[in-house]
């Protein structure tokens, strides 16, 4: 285009803007920038446990009562409004005898206990869920929930919510219960969490969503150790999903929780995917390299891997390293927007073969 033509087009752009219109040509530069995939939303970043825990202790002094807002510190990525563009991760502390008031919202949320134990519970739709250290408790969207610390020590847990997704779709709803505690179910037989087990009432409808569900760490650890000798994923090691207890699908409709074991000295292969993920180190020391940025982590550190960022894991310790993580894969898969490079690795390997079928003929 000539100089005069460019000038005329720019004047026309201003004219269109005044009429609340926009020419398609405005997007050409944007489309050229995403040839080969999106720009990662956010940057690789790590939050040290010792730093976060110190701030949590200080928050107990400057905020003597947790109130409805919670004594929660959100992890803010330097390049996004949240931890990722779809999720917020943070840590919350309760003092002995303290209650975090009951409320509900359309953000799906989960709680992963870091310093828990008998006496720490999250009550979900009237059902108390115990939070021992490293237990996972779900508070699905629009379920009433409150937290109570009946222990003699400060307790800490990890919060993850799909708040970026909910705000981006402009569907946030919030409702305080109006009292500290919600009423709890008196009849143990009415607990919905039990409907996610192997035995269920034959006379009831099948409940498939919004379970007030707890995944005890003792069960997770046992399963990790049983599968520790398998090859696992070349990109994530021995990685297990916290499956929906009824459907076997993702933990919640928008979020999936994983736990992965990296053997001593293991170095995984590099890949990238359109989903983003947040990580918490249960144990071990290692490095996650994200787009050539080295995140050196140790016990209870947290870090983020933005979407479409090439990354791999290295276990630098002499023991197994174990990472808990949350991703937005279910959202991407529901929209048919989940991609991986250099290959699709999620859910592609076959089941273990039947031994009897392997006999020579």
């Amino acid at each position: 285009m000539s100089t005069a033509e460019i000038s005329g087009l720019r004047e026309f752009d201003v004219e269109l803007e005044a009429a609340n219109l926009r020419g398609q040509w405005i997007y050409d530069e944007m489309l050229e920038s995403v040839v080969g995939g999106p720009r990662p939303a956010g940057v690789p970043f790590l939050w040290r446990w010792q730093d976060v825990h110190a701030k949590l202790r200080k928050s107990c002094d400057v905020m003597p009562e947790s109130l409805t807002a919670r004594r929660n510190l959100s992890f803010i990525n330097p390049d996004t409004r949240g931890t990722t563009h779809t999720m917020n991760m943070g840590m919350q502390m309760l003092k002995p005898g303290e209650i975090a008031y009951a409320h509900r919202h359309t953000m799906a949320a989960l709680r992963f206990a870091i310093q828990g134990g008998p006496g720490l519970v999250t009550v979900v739709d009237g059902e108390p869920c115990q939070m021992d250290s490293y237990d996972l408790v779900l508070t699905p969207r629009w379920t009433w929930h409150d937290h109570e610390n009946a222990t003699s020590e400060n307790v800490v847990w990890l919060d993850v919510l799909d708040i970026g997704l909910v705000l981006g779709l402009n569907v946030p709803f919030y409702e305080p219960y109006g009292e500290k505690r919600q009423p709890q179910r008196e009849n143990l037989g009415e607990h919905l969490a039990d409907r996610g087990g192997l035995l269920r009432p034959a006379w009831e409808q099948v409940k498939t969503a919004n379970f007030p569900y707890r995944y005890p760490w003792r069960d997770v650890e046992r399963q990790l150790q049983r599968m520790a000798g398998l090859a696992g994923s070349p990109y994530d090691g021995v990685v297990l999903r916290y499956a929906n207890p009824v459907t076997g699908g993702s933990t919640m409709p928008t979020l999936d929780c994983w736990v992965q074991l990296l053997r001593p000295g293991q170095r995984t292969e590099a890949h990238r995917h359109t989903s983003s993920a947040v990580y918490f180190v249960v144990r071990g020391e290692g490095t996650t390299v994200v787009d050539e940025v080295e995140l050196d982590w140790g016990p209870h550190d947290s870090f983020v891997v933005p979407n479409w960022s090439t990354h791999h894991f290295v276990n630098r310790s002499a023991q197994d390293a174990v990472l808990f993580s949350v991703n937005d894969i279910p959202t991407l898969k529901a929209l048919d927007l989940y991609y991986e490079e250099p290959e699709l690795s999620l859910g592609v390997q076959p089941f273990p073969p039947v031994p009897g079928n392997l006999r020579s003929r």
Side-chain angles (χ1 to χ4, degrees):
M1 296 177 67
S2 66
T3 302
E5 288 172 332
I6 294 174
S7 177
L9 182 59
R10 294 292 176 260
E11 291 178 4
F12 186 48
D13 288 340
V14 174
E15 181 181 330
L16 289 174
E17 184 177 358
N20 290 307
L21 298 170
R22 182 175 296 155
Q24 177 65 42
W25 51 87
I26 292 293
Y27 299 103
D28 287 351
E29 183 176 345
M30 182 273 291
L31 292 173
E32 291 176 1
S33 70
V34 295
V35 172
R39 173 184 176 273
V43 296
F45 200 81
L46 182 140
W47 292 265
R48 297 277 178 209
W49 164 249
Q50 61 183 15
D51 298 333
V52 177
H53 193 251
K55 298 298 184 186
L56 281 171
R57 291 199 308 269
K58 185 173 182 179
S59 73
C60 290
D61 298 329
V62 299
M63 190 180 180
E65 187 178 358
S66 66
L67 305 174
T68 57
R70 314 298 215 244
R71 195 181 294 105
N72 175 290
L73 302 180
S74 295
F75 297 163
I76 303 302
N77 191 299
D79 199 35
T80 65
R81 296 177 61 184
T83 317
T84 79
H85 60 306
T86 58
M87 298 180 287
N88 264 25
M89 177 169 67
M91 289 184 185
Q92 187 169 166
M93 177 176 279
L94 276 186
K95 297 189 293 186
E98 198 168 31
I99 297 172
Y101 290 17
H103 64 217
R104 63 181 179 177
H105 41 65
T106 46
M107 285 73 73
L110 57 94
R111 325 292 170 174
F112 186 81
I114 301 172
Q115 294 177 336
L120 172 62
V121 296
T122 290
V123 182
V124 187
D125 275 351
E127 299 182 24
C129 300
Q130 184 171 315
M131 295 174 66
D132 291 336
S133 294
Y134 307 140
D135 285 356
L136 171 65
V137 172
L138 307 183
T139 54
R141 67 181 74 260
W142 211 238
T143 55
W144 295 110
H145 54 281
D146 53 80
H147 315 281
E148 180 171 353
N149 179 15
T151 76
S152 59
E153 305 289 340
N154 289 346
V155 294
V156 181
W157 66 84
L158 193 75
D159 289 314
V160 182
L161 298 86
D162 60 357
I163 190 168
L165 174 67
V166 171
L167 293 180
L169 295 174
N170 195 28
V171 286
F173 289 83
Y174 170 85
E175 182 180 0
Y177 184 71
E179 300 177 24
K180 282 188 175 182
R181 293 185 176 95
Q182 59 181 292
Q184 296 187 18
R185 297 184 189 273
E186 297 181 359
N187 188 339
L188 293 178
E190 294 182 351
H191 279 213
L192 297 178
D194 293 337
R195 270 74 174 165
L198 297 177
L199 298 171
R200 307 170 194 175
W203 64 89
E204 290 183 357
Q205 299 176 8
V206 177
K207 185 174 177 60
T208 60
N210 283 22
F211 275 92
Y213 205 72
R214 171 193 178 216
Y215 300 81
W217 180 253
R218 63 177 182 271
D219 297 340
V220 176
E221 180 73 54
R222 184 184 306 117
Q223 192 70 355
L224 268 180
Q225 294 307 319
R226 289 182 66 175
M227 296 189 172
L230 300 179
S233 162
Y235 305 104
D236 295 294
V238 177
V239 59
L240 307 180
R241 295 176 46 249
Y242 287 78
N244 177 293
V246 174
T247 67
S250 60
T251 317
M252 290 190 283
T254 56
L255 301 173
D256 213 6
C257 298
W258 290 10
V259 61
Q260 67 189 101
L261 181 148
L262 302 169
R263 301 180 187 86
Q266 182 174 4
R267 181 187 183 95
T268 67
E269 298 179 23
H271 75 154
R272 63 179 177 176
H273 34 69
T274 48
S275 59
S276 58
V278 292
Y279 289 82
F280 171 80
V281 183
V282 176
R283 65 173 180 263
E285 295 181 350
T287 301
T288 300
V289 183
V290 188
D291 284 341
E292 300 183 354
V293 176
E294 295 187 359
L295 303 176
D296 296 325
W297 41 260
H300 293 186
D301 290 344
S302 303
F303 61 94
V304 57
V305 176
N307 66 317
W308 211 237
S309 300
T310 300
H311 60 282
H312 68 274
F313 301 91
V314 181
N315 181 2
R316 294 185 285 101
S317 55
Q319 62 173 344
D320 291 337
V322 176
L323 307 177
F324 170 79
S325 63
V326 186
N327 62 64
D328 52 11
I329 290 176
T331 300
L332 276 296
K333 289 185 74 70
L335 298 172
D336 198 23
L337 292 173
Y338 179 76
Y339 305 102
E340 286 187 60
E341 283 187 352
E343 62 177 342
L344 179 63
S345 67
L346 185 64
V348 296
Q349 297 186 29
F351 289 106
V354 177
N357 295 341
L358 298 177
R359 64 183 180 183
S360 58
R361 296 183 184 276

